[in-house]
Amino acid sequence: FISDDECQWKGPFYFIQGADPQFGLMKAWTCGDTDNGDDEWGEEIKLAEQAVQAINKLNPKPKFFVLCGDLVHGMPGTLWRKNQVQDLKNVLKNTAQDIPLVFVSGNHDVGNAPTRETIDDYCKNWGDDYFSFWVGGVFFLVLNSQLFFDCSQCPELKEAQDVWLDEQLAVAAKQKCKHIIVFQHIPLFLENPDEDHGYFNLEKSVREEIMEKFHKAGIKAVFAGHYHRNAGGSYKGLEMVVSSAIGCQLGEDTHGLRVVVVTEDKLVHRYYSLNELSSQGIEKELLDVLAKQ
């Protein structure tokens, strides 16, 4: 991603967003013990394999595959976590070499109240918990949303991310990028910018501050997971896109992935079930948007 060349717009492209493969949740959810019931994840392995196979078959190829957090279910320090992490890595190794993987940290990856240790552990396994990259004239930001959710155990890390974010947005303002797009785990909101705060969104005062900052910076969209259902809405032209899980579904959606086409003036995206994407690939309508120069 790092080549200077990627700062230039070269025409439409697309990427794949997945979320919450969360190895172990399906068993834990079924047996009603989400703290210790995650001792099996065979179902999730199959689903993650299906996701990788579907992505590998796509033509043209996506620019990257981003996983928006909750890679595994086991919280830091729990019994099955290491095995879950290893099994997910084994599945993801089969992603085509020319499709980069982008990892976003979720609450299960760094803990509900992360510490320096849990974040260090995440970084050792998956890479930085926040960073930016360019693809074809578009500026992407990956954030650790857990620092917005509860930074009581590591306030200095929250502050460091805030300072970094402001610096990145200043860079973006100078660079004349086509779009700025954010990836994080916890949605700012699920449907409505002024909805009440709950487990699946950010606290209202935190949310308002971030939304306003993103709006002023001209950020086009925020892509998140965490909800295990599809949802979303918008705030002053900032689109909040919440994608359902590769793994356990908590609503009416199917295990799936989101295809996001980036054109010069807009983002066009659609959620596909894994079965649909495996068997049919991307529909003609989206391919046509991609082909338009």
Side-chain angles (χ1 to χ4, degrees):
F1 284 150
I2 317 297
S3 69
D4 295 338
D5 192 31
E6 287 300 341
C7 300
Q8 306 306 315
W9 178 254
K10 307 188 198 62
F13 64 87
Y14 81 102
F15 63 85
I16 301 283
Q17 181 214 9
D20 303 86
Q22 204 155 343
F23 282 21
L25 176 58
M26 288 170 85
K27 161 84 192 315
W29 189 259
T30 312
C31 73
D33 180 1
T34 49
D35 290 335
N36 310 299
D38 60 332
D39 59 343
E40 287 172 27
W41 49 92
E43 272 306 294
E44 285 98 339
I45 290 178
K46 284 192 199 121
L47 291 161
E49 284 173 344
Q50 191 183 359
V52 166
Q53 285 157 4
I55 291 168
N56 286 348
K57 282 200 317 209
L58 294 173
N59 188 16
K61 285 209 180 318
K63 286 284 185 191
F64 60 88
F65 172 26
V66 58
L67 272 170
C68 280
D70 282 2
L71 306 171
V72 300
H73 183 68
M75 287 278 184
T78 57
L79 188 56
W80 302 106
R81 179 182 172 98
K82 275 200 169 68
N83 301 51
Q84 291 168 356
V85 165
Q86 194 49 57
D87 284 353
L88 178 59
K89 286 182 177 177
N90 290 342
V91 172
L92 293 174
K93 274 188 197 120
N94 296 316
T95 310
Q97 293 293 295
D98 50 359
I99 303 174
L101 292 164
V102 176
F103 297 107
V104 181
S105 64
N107 57 307
H108 283 262
D109 306 309
V110 296
N112 285 326
T115 65
R116 186 174 282 280
E117 290 71 38
T118 63
I119 291 175
D120 282 349
D121 178 68
Y122 170 84
C123 294
K124 278 194 199 85
N125 275 302
W126 303 107
D128 292 341
D129 59 322
Y130 58 89
F131 57 96
S132 63
F133 60 93
W134 287 86
V135 173
V138 178
F139 191 49
F140 291 94
L141 292 161
V142 170
L143 299 179
N144 179 346
S145 57
Q146 220 49 39
L147 295 172
F148 300 137
F149 191 83
D150 181 354
C151 64
S152 58
Q153 307 301 305
C154 57
E156 73 290 351
L157 296 184
K158 154 87 162 66
E159 198 174 325
Q161 177 173 258
D162 288 344
V163 168
W164 173 86
L165 178 56
D166 290 340
E167 286 166 357
Q168 296 297 306
L169 294 176
V171 167
K174 282 197 197 70
Q175 285 278 3
K176 298 278 174 278
C177 46
K178 279 288 173 214
H179 307 292
I180 312 171
I181 295 172
V182 171
F183 298 122
Q184 60 188 55
H185 178 61
I186 300 183
L188 299 169
F189 57 89
L190 297 172
E191 280 161 5
N192 198 313
D194 54 11
E195 70 198 17
D196 289 341
H197 164 57
Y199 175 76
F200 288 111
N201 59 15
L202 289 180
E203 199 271 315
K204 263 178 145 173
S205 61
V206 176
R207 178 196 317 167
E208 278 157 14
E209 190 185 333
I210 298 170
M211 290 190 307
E212 208 35 49
K213 179 182 285 192
F214 284 4
H215 164 66
K216 286 203 175 87
I219 289 171
K220 186 65 63 88
V222 176
F223 288 87
H226 188 51
Y227 192 42
H228 295 255
R229 285 156 278 211
N230 288 308
S234 64
Y235 170 82
K236 298 185 182 175
L238 166 73
E239 193 183 2
M240 182 66 240
V241 185
V242 184
S243 292
S244 197
I246 293 171
C248 190
Q249 300 301 311
L250 300 182
E252 301 301 304
D253 296 295
T254 47
H255 310 281
L257 295 164
R258 191 172 294 276
V259 173
V260 186
V261 177
V262 184
T263 73
E264 196 155 6
D265 52 354
K266 62 181 190 290
L267 305 178
V268 186
H269 54 84
R270 193 185 147 205
Y271 186 83
Y272 288 85
S273 76
L274 294 181
N275 292 341
E276 210 181 346
L277 200 59
S278 310
S279 57
Q280 292 152 31
I282 301 172
E283 76 214 273
K284 184 176 182 311
E285 200 182 341
L286 280 189
L287 290 172
D288 289 348
V289 174
L290 257 183
K292 283 202 174 79
Q293 289 294 341

